[in-house]
Amino acid sequence: MAERKPISSWLTDMDGVLIHEGTPIPGADAFIKRLRDSGLPFLVLTNNSIYTARDLHARLKRMGLDVPVANIWTSALATAQFLDDQRPGGTAYVIGEAGLTTALHDIGYVLTDHDPDYVVLGETRTYSFEALTKAIRLINAGARFICTNPDETGPSAEGPLPATGSVAALITKATGKDPYFAGKPNPLMMRTGLNAIGAHSETSAMIGDRMDTDVLAGLEAGMQTFLVLTGLTSVADIDRYPYGPSHVVESIADLVDLIDLPDQVDQGKQADQADQADSR
C-alpha cells in the first residue's frame, strides 16, 4: 500500500465524537483548541439538518467547544450546495427546520407548495401527517425527491427517535420514488465540505463514531479514517462491515497529539531539507 501523505486538514463528526447527549466528550475541548492553534483547515460535520451553523456554534460554545461558524458543515448546507449546483434559483417544498430552510433561502431558493422543482425532506422535531401527504402528492406530480440524510434513527435522552431516513422510507413506499440523499455516507457531503475549506482528500482525515456513515463517507471520499469508540460503533461491530477504518482509537483525546502545530511543521520542513542536503 502506498504511504499516505501527512494529514493537513481534519474533518470530524460531532455527535458521538465531540459531544454525547449535550455533554462534551473528554478531550474534545483540547482537540478543537489544538486545531485552532494549528491554523490547519478543519470542519465539524453533522447529518442533523435542524440547526443552522450559527445555532450549532452557540450550542457548542456553551459546552466549552469554540468552533467558528465557518468551520461547521451540516447536511442542510450540503443539500443546499447540491441544489444550487443542479438547478440554481429553483423552487422547493421543504419539510424541515430552520437549518434547512435558512440554507435554501441563502442560495436564493423559493420555498413553495405550488409545482416545486424539488421536495426536500430534512430532520424536524414534529413530522406533520398533512405535510407528508402534501410531499407525496407533489412527488407523484413530478417533483424530484431529495433528502438531507439517510439516518433512520437519532439519539435522545429517552432513547432512539425516528429520523429522516425512516420518514423517507414512508414517502418512498407511497410514491415508488427513492430520494437522493445529500448527507453522509454520500461522499458529496465530504467533497463539498473539503471544497469549502480549500482542502484535498489525499491529505485529509475523517473522524467518526459510525462505520456506516462516517467511515464509509471518508473512505469513499479518499480520506484517511479514524473510528472512535465513544459513540455507536464498538470494536465487535467493525468486522460486520466489508470495509474498515484506517485507524481505531478509544476517543478524540487520542488524536490531539497528531495535529501538527506551526512550529512542528517548520521543524519538520527543516529536517526534510537537511536530509535532502545530506543526500546530495
Side-chain angles (χ1 to χ4, degrees):
M1 181 181 294
E3 185 176 348
R4 297 293 303 239
K5 295 183 179 180
I7 299 169
S8 59
S9 54
W10 292 83
L11 277 65
T12 176
D13 186 40
M14 187 171 68
D15 294 307
V17 179
L18 300 178
I19 62 175
H20 179 68
E21 293 184 1
T23 302
I25 289 172
D29 54 347
F31 182 81
I32 294 298
K33 184 179 185 303
R34 180 92 169 195
L35 275 176
R36 298 196 67 180
D37 290 346
S38 74
L40 295 175
F42 75 94
L43 282 178
V44 172
L45 305 174
T46 177
N47 256 358
N48 191 317
S49 65
I50 289 178
Y51 303 107
T52 67
R54 189 177 301 277
D55 295 333
L56 290 172
H57 162 75
R59 290 167 64 88
L60 290 170
K61 193 164 186 177
R62 286 197 298 270
M63 301 178 203
L65 304 179
D66 192 3
V67 182
V69 172
N71 295 97
I72 296 173
W73 193 246
T74 71
S75 64
L77 293 171
T79 300
Q81 181 66 64
F82 170 74
L83 293 179
D84 193 34
D85 291 340
Q86 289 287 307
R87 187 178 290 259
T91 59
Y93 177 70
V94 178
I95 298 176
E97 301 270 350
L100 182 56
T101 56
T102 300
L104 293 175
H105 276 136
D106 286 347
I107 61 165
Y109 255 57
V110 173
L111 307 189
T112 179
D113 62 359
H114 179 69
D115 193 26
D117 298 317
Y118 298 96
V119 166
V120 183
L121 176 68
E123 209 80 49
T124 179
R125 299 175 184 86
T126 54
Y127 286 104
S128 157
F129 185 78
E130 181 181 354
L132 295 176
T133 301
K134 172 70 75 173
I136 289 166
R137 290 172 179 170
L138 291 172
I139 292 169
N140 282 335
R144 300 161 183 84
F145 185 19
I146 304 293
C147 192
T148 56
N149 68 85
D151 296 15
E152 296 172 353
T153 60
S156 79
E158 294 78 25
L161 295 172
T164 316
S166 295
V167 180
L170 181 155
I171 295 176
T172 293
K173 194 70 173 178
T175 62
K177 303 288 179 61
D178 292 317
Y180 180 79
F181 293 105
K184 297 177 294 179
N186 188 343
L188 171 81
M189 182 170 177
M190 321 302 283
R191 295 190 183 281
T192 52
L194 289 171
N195 289 341
I197 59 174
H200 300 282
S201 60
E202 62 182 358
T203 55
S204 298
M206 175 63 197
I207 309 165
D209 70 307
R210 292 184 60 152
M211 289 289 292
D212 57 345
T213 55
D214 306 319
V215 170
L216 181 57
L219 172 70
E220 292 189 346
M223 295 187 285
Q224 288 194 59
T225 55
F226 290 84
L227 177 71
V228 297
L229 301 176
T230 50
L232 291 177
T233 303
S234 69
V235 171
D237 294 328
I238 297 173
D239 286 340
R240 293 175 38 229
Y241 295 88
Y243 52 85
S246 307
H247 312 276
V248 180
V249 296
E250 287 296 324
S251 77
I252 194 74
D254 297 315
L255 302 179
V256 175
D257 290 339
L258 294 186
I259 302 169
D260 288 332
L261 295 173
D263 58 340
Q264 295 173 322
V265 173
D266 292 341
Q267 291 170 9
K269 288 181 179 178
Q270 291 171 2
D272 290 342
Q273 291 169 354
D275 290 342
Q276 291 171 4
D278 290 341
S279 65
R280 292 193 184 106

